[in-house]
Amino acid sequence: MTTPLGEVLDGRRTAEFQKAARALLKEPLLLAHGPDADAYRLVRQYAGELRDWFERNTGWSLRVDAEVARLRKTPGTLADATHPAREASRAGAPFTRRRYVLLCLALAVLERGEAQIALGRLAEQVVLEAADPHLAAAGLEFTLERRDERGDLAAVVRLLLRHGVLRRVAGDEDAYVSGTGDVLYDVQRRVLAGLLSARHGPSTITADGFEERLDRLIAESALDSDELRFRAIRQKLTRRLLDDPVLYYDELSDEELAYLTRQRAFLTARVGELTGLVAEVRAEGIAMVDPQDDLTDVRMPEQGTHGHVTLLLAEHLAVAGGEVSREELERRVRELAVEHGGFWSKSAKQPGAEGELVEQALAKLIALALVTRTPQGVAPLPALARYAVGETVVVEPGVRSPRTSRRKAPQP
């Protein structure tokens, strides 16, 4: 039997719409030129529908012009430090506090600068900006005279290159770091203008505390009616379903939990229509998981030594029944090295390597909301139960067993 053309076209449109939405969720800043050009064109084709969906359901704004598509996302959990900016290199080291400050200073210089700038000139202007007494009072000083400081600025510039804020015209950052050369860049002002994702300008915030300043950056107008309060709760919950590994019920306020209890089917269905994600509902919370296995920025399980160690420690923690100390985890890694060392890298089997292996594994497990740090070490969270060897994973009737999703751990 032949499928009617109208149904084929409707199905194709739905698939393309989901593909465009997923592209924005994976990379909220898409350039019209370069590796993301195809995704950008698809987003531009469905810009109106995408803009309406995100504005209504998450409060995120979408700007699409001839050069860039920018989804201005604000996280459901503001203080989540488990997904930092990373070096644009194979190592992908997370940004330090100093690099984040350098990034902000560099953006301030570029905003007031010309259409082209040399890295050396950018460094000079950053040093001037860094003379702010508030930075000195916070223990942050920048001279960019030392090689490691120049390396920090080079890492910031490479991040801006990756996001399309800068385009390299000539030169190489390594030459600048070593003190033997300079680099010239074009500044892409449209991309730069759309980089900041906040409802209020940082310079207008007068609060002193870190968490309070974060709240003020994205604060909405006064929620002085039930309709506005319910809309704010709906948008926050939808943001968390889209972005967080697991939405645990005990992390919600009483009002948020009551709303989610009433509207769970509606919220998860809306997210599923946009993305193709499937709701896994458990007694402790909800995870939106991805049968396509590509909408994630942290993978588990993962190939290689570190991926194997992480999976084995997850299995160990899943059956531990409570808190486990760092010493016990390191001892467990030494035992695993004897059992599985033939498959591990040479460096992972060296004496003392267990400390780094445990730290890298914990960083991934925490980012996936599978464990949490405690004063005594680390404690498993409910979602880690899926890694208990021999355990049966129980989900509600009709819910598919998961593979992976945005910042979600796949089933091993």
Side-chain angles (χ1 to χ4, degrees):
M1 181 177 178
T2 303
T3 303
L5 179 59
E7 293 183 15
V8 172
L9 293 176
D10 288 345
R12 181 177 299 173
R13 182 177 176 83
T14 298
E16 289 180 343
F17 178 73
Q18 286 188 356
K19 187 175 181 180
R22 290 165 67 93
L24 282 171
L25 291 171
K26 286 193 288 187
E27 190 59 65
L29 194 156
L30 297 169
L31 303 178
H33 305 285
D36 295 324
D38 289 342
Y40 162 83
R41 284 192 290 270
L42 198 58
V43 168
R44 189 169 186 179
Q45 179 181 348
Y46 292 96
E49 296 97 318
L50 290 167
R51 186 180 295 110
D52 290 344
W53 196 99
F54 283 117
E55 177 63 33
R56 182 171 61 255
N57 293 284
T58 65
W60 297 340
S61 64
L62 173 64
R63 179 176 69 87
V64 182
D65 59 31
E67 296 183 19
V68 64
R70 175 65 166 123
L71 178 63
R72 288 190 172 92
K73 296 174 62 180
T74 53
T77 305
L78 293 180
D80 180 10
T82 62
H83 295 262
R86 293 185 177 274
E87 288 183 4
S89 66
R90 184 175 180 180
F95 264 37
T96 61
R97 181 177 180 230
R98 289 179 60 83
R99 288 186 178 182
Y100 277 120
V101 174
L102 273 177
L103 173 61
C104 294
L105 294 175
L107 291 172
V109 170
L110 293 172
E111 178 65 29
R112 294 192 295 268
E114 303 296 329
Q116 281 193 331
I117 193 168
L119 183 48
R121 178 61 175 168
L122 175 62
E124 293 172 0
Q125 294 296 312
V126 164
V127 170
L128 292 176
E129 293 284 344
D132 188 313
H134 291 91
L135 291 178
L140 292 167
E141 296 181 350
F142 300 95
T143 65
L144 299 180
E145 294 176 355
R146 302 195 314 269
R147 183 185 179 95
D148 64 318
E149 286 190 321
R150 295 194 299 273
D152 285 339
L153 182 59
V156 166
V157 165
R158 287 174 177 139
L159 181 69
L160 296 177
L161 285 166
R162 189 177 72 192
H163 288 304
V165 176
L166 298 175
R167 288 184 185 173
R168 191 186 296 110
V169 177
D172 180 78
E173 289 80 30
D174 289 337
Y176 165 78
V177 173
S178 64
T180 60
D182 208 341
V183 196
L184 180 65
Y185 305 102
D186 286 334
V187 181
Q188 306 303 305
R189 307 207 68 82
R190 282 183 178 272
V191 182
L192 174 62
L195 204 61
L196 182 64
S197 180
R199 289 193 175 94
H200 308 281
S203 62
T204 67
I205 307 300
T206 58
D208 293 327
F210 176 69
E211 291 187 1
E212 187 179 0
R213 288 183 65 84
L214 282 179
D215 287 337
R216 296 284 181 85
L217 278 173
I218 66 166
E220 296 188 65
S221 56
L223 304 177
D224 52 5
S225 70
D226 288 342
E227 181 181 355
L228 291 176
R229 285 193 295 273
F230 289 148
R231 185 193 67 180
I233 291 173
R234 183 182 74 249
Q235 291 178 344
K236 180 179 180 181
L237 292 173
T238 303
R239 292 196 296 267
R240 295 199 61 179
L241 288 171
L242 285 169
D243 256 3
D244 288 2
V246 184
L247 176 58
Y248 286 116
Y249 298 142
D250 62 7
E251 296 175 349
L252 303 177
S253 68
D254 290 343
E255 191 175 22
E256 291 167 348
L257 181 58
Y259 185 91
L260 180 59
T261 301
R262 296 192 304 270
Q263 301 293 332
R264 185 187 69 192
F266 170 78
L267 293 175
T268 55
R270 292 289 288 169
V271 172
E273 291 170 2
L274 177 77
T275 62
L277 300 179
V278 178
E280 178 188 329
V281 182
R282 295 171 181 257
E284 302 86 2
I286 304 171
M288 300 301 299
V289 296
D290 183 15
Q292 298 182 43
D293 195 19
D294 69 352
L295 194 59
T296 182
D297 57 353
V298 177
R299 289 192 170 276
M300 181 177 169
E302 190 175 42
Q303 294 183 347
T305 299
H306 290 293
H308 192 202
V309 172
T310 302
L311 182 59
L312 292 172
L313 286 183
E315 294 175 353
H316 177 71
L317 287 164
V319 297
E323 296 182 29
V324 178
S325 68
R326 280 291 299 265
E327 292 76 14
E328 180 180 339
L329 291 177
E330 292 182 8
R331 183 169 60 252
R332 179 57 180 158
V333 169
R334 290 193 292 270
E335 296 170 353
L336 292 170
V338 175
E339 184 177 354
H340 301 283
F343 303 99
W344 291 6
S345 65
K346 184 177 179 180
S347 61
K349 295 179 285 186
Q350 297 297 319
E354 61 273 11
E356 180 183 355
L357 292 171
V358 167
E359 185 56 37
Q360 291 196 20
L362 290 183
K364 178 166 288 190
L365 295 174
I366 291 169
L368 291 167
L370 297 174
V371 303
T372 185
R373 293 189 191 274
T374 66
Q376 291 74 33
V378 63
L381 293 173
L384 190 66
R386 65 170 62 180
Y387 292 96
V389 176
E391 293 284 333
T392 300
V393 177
V394 179
V395 297
E396 291 193 352
V399 177
R400 294 181 59 180
S401 183
R403 293 189 62 81
T404 188
S405 67
R406 174 70 175 164
R407 294 176 50 181
K408 311 297 192 292
Q411 187 175 2

